[in-house]
Amino acid sequence: MRVLARCSAGLLAVSLLVMSAPGALADPPGDTRSVVPDGLATKQNLRIATYNASLNRSAAGDLVRDLGTPENAQARAIAEVLQITRPDVVLLNEFDYDAGGTAADLFNRNYLRVSQNGKAALDYPYVYTAPSNTGVPSGLDLNNDGTVGGAEDALGFGAFEGQYGMVIYSQYPIQTESVRTFQHFLWKDMPGALLPDNPATAEQGDWYSEAELDVLPLSSKSHWDVPLSVGGKTVHVLASHPTPPVFDGKEDRNGKRNSDEIRFWSDYVTGGPSASYIYDDGGVTGGLKRGDRFVILGDQNSDPFDGDSLPGAIDQLLGNKLVQDPQPSSSGATEAAALQGGANAGHRSDPRLDTADFEDRNAGNIRADYVLPSRTLRVSGSGVFWPRVGSPGSELTGIFPFPTSDHRLVYADVVVSGTKQR
């Protein structure tokens, strides 16, 4: 794992980007990082968010170019959403990775630290980013089209290395030496992996050859365990972005990979024998320990009832007894589903929980983005930044072509204390 260290605002900043969760639109929250005495112990409030910001570009270096000045309209709008919601920690999905961490620094310096439309600026002293499997050439014909090369034959879909990457911004120190990444964990090494079948043969799980399975990772981007120090306690930020369960064929290779990428965190937080097969990029095995505090967050590309993911895929997390689902919601999502109609009319999930505004003819809006705290944390609030049409902030979400992203920022407020509830 390559970790970049730099100074930011006079403090050591490692390559970790964490955003805090969005607050109520009508009454934006102030500093949520308060410490509340509780006898001899303390309780610390933490707002944690995930946001697929769609800050991906079509060629390497384009994002660095766009963020090099403070004038990019999309980046300004995304920064304004963050300045309104003021998360303490935030994961940005679809933020192109570069080895120097330049794009992450530029977004912090030119956008977050600069007031957008009168909103109070933000400064995240701790930033984490790391390589992604997206765009890394496999040298093999992973999509079985008879040719080698291109985005579909990369270890993770991407036109160049690092496209659709991730970054975490944080107000809290990162325990750099304890960060674990799982970029290179092989899909075949997951017991009971849902390896796709070639429908043209009678064999099972044979879409990929042995040579391909020897190099194909589970994670289409990466999985990160980034521990933060919050009020003297450790909170594990578990970040990922499973592949969309579409853009394939009858073999459903992306749907099966998506499901197993989601399952990975369920096994990891369960720990013990369930996580004994897991190894990180440094060769350390196993998952979390009993009682550890964690928050699973990211664009999981899976709705409990709607969309194209495998049935039960996201339930592997929502049904884990160690995980709680705050069910962040917004009235704007309910309004959008009714106004847009189309596929939304046939959806089974509660539209107020939607987090992504997809095309309405076939897909419709779904719940794709999650902030799932452990039961060792107390949830005090949650929400989705999706204002109703005409209300303040609605110009930042809008309709296609979106001024920010087709996803919405999702957050949960948790209380970190010394009391373990597991």
Side-chain angles (χ1 to χ4, degrees):
M1 176 183 70
R2 286 172 282 171
V3 176
L4 307 172
R6 63 183 60 84
C7 290
S8 174
L11 295 173
L12 176 66
V14 295
S15 13
L16 175 74
L17 291 180
V18 181
M19 290 193 218
S20 18
L25 179 63
D27 186 19
D31 185 358
T32 60
R33 293 176 290 111
S34 58
V35 179
V36 182
D38 181 27
L40 296 177
T42 60
K43 294 181 178 180
Q44 188 131 1
N45 296 322
L46 175 67
R47 173 160 285 187
I48 188 164
T50 187
Y51 192 10
N52 182 331
S54 297
L55 280 169
N56 57 281
R57 297 296 185 259
S58 59
D62 283 0
L63 183 60
V64 170
R65 178 202 63 200
D66 288 353
L67 300 181
T69 72
E71 302 302 326
N72 184 267
Q74 182 199 16
R76 291 189 64 182
I78 290 166
E80 186 173 353
V81 169
L82 290 169
Q83 290 174 359
I84 291 171
T85 55
R86 310 196 72 76
D88 299 304
V89 178
V90 63
L91 166 69
L92 296 184
N93 288 130
E94 296 197 2
F95 189 104
D96 291 345
Y97 170 79
D98 64 272
T102 304
D105 284 344
L106 289 172
F107 185 62
N108 209 4
R109 180 166 70 243
N110 289 339
Y111 293 91
L112 295 175
R113 294 180 190 167
V114 177
S115 171
Q116 307 296 337
N117 290 320
K119 310 301 188 300
L122 287 169
D123 185 15
Y124 292 101
Y126 306 99
V127 177
Y128 180 85
T129 190
S132 171
N133 285 321
T134 47
V136 177
S138 70
L140 299 164
D141 182 15
L142 296 181
N143 66 346
N144 288 353
D145 69 349
T147 63
V148 174
E152 291 194 27
D153 286 336
L155 297 182
F157 182 89
F160 60 88
E161 291 191 30
Q163 190 180 30
Y164 310 111
M166 307 188 294
V167 63
I168 297 174
Y169 292 95
S170 178
Q171 300 285 356
Y172 293 94
I174 298 160
Q175 298 175 14
T176 312
E177 299 303 318
S178 298
V179 171
R180 301 179 70 187
T181 64
F182 303 89
Q183 180 189 6
H184 303 302
F185 175 85
L186 295 179
W187 189 0
K188 70 173 185 176
D189 289 340
M190 170 179 274
L194 300 176
L195 299 176
D197 296 323
N198 186 338
T201 72
E203 300 295 326
Q204 297 296 307
D206 64 339
W207 176 267
Y208 297 114
S209 68
E210 290 187 11
E212 290 167 342
L213 290 175
D214 284 341
V215 300
L216 184 63
L218 169 65
S219 184
S220 54
K221 285 84 177 174
S222 189
H223 284 62
W224 299 341
D225 176 353
V226 180
L228 305 181
S229 295
V230 181
K233 309 298 186 297
T234 296
V235 178
H236 294 263
V237 173
L238 306 180
S240 62
H241 183 191
T243 190
V246 289
F247 311 121
D248 52 16
K250 292 182 179 180
E251 83 289 346
D252 199 16
R253 66 185 188 277
N254 291 332
K256 293 178 178 180
R257 190 178 189 182
N258 168 273
S259 182
D260 278 351
E261 287 194 70
I262 293 171
R263 174 192 155 189
F264 180 90
W265 281 140
S266 182
D267 291 346
Y268 187 76
V269 302
T270 300
S274 296
S276 61
Y277 70 90
I278 293 174
Y279 53 86
D280 63 28
D281 294 333
V284 179
T285 60
L288 293 183
K289 297 178 181 177
R290 183 174 181 83
D292 281 348
R293 302 169 185 82
F294 63 83
V295 182
I296 301 169
L297 70 166
D299 175 3
Q300 304 296 323
N301 272 312
S302 181
D303 183 284
F305 299 105
D306 304 316
D308 295 298
S309 64
L310 290 185
I314 193 61
D315 291 334
Q316 295 172 109
L317 290 177
L318 300 183
N320 188 307
K321 66 179 182 180
L322 305 178
V323 176
Q324 53 183 323
D325 179 11
Q327 294 196 321
S329 65
S330 70
S331 58
T334 303
E335 177 189 55
L339 290 176
Q340 295 169 7
N344 294 294
H347 280 185
R348 293 187 294 153
S349 288
D350 189 336
R352 70 188 178 90
L353 303 180
D354 288 345
T355 68
D357 190 351
F358 293 155
E359 63 85 20
D360 301 307
R361 179 175 297 178
N362 298 308
N365 307 338
I366 66 169
R367 185 184 186 190
D369 310 87
Y370 295 82
V371 179
L372 302 173
S374 61
R375 293 192 178 274
T376 49
L377 297 167
R378 181 169 65 83
V379 175
S380 58
S382 66
V384 178
F385 185 83
W386 198 331
R388 294 176 65 87
V389 174
S391 62
S394 60
E395 73 281 0
L396 298 172
T397 52
I399 57 175
F400 183 84
F402 304 101
T404 49
S405 171
D406 54 355
H407 291 253
R408 306 292 179 250
L409 184 147
V410 181
Y411 72 91
D413 295 329
V414 299
V415 178
V416 182
S417 66
T419 302
K420 296 181 178 179
Q421 302 171 6
R422 188 183 302 198

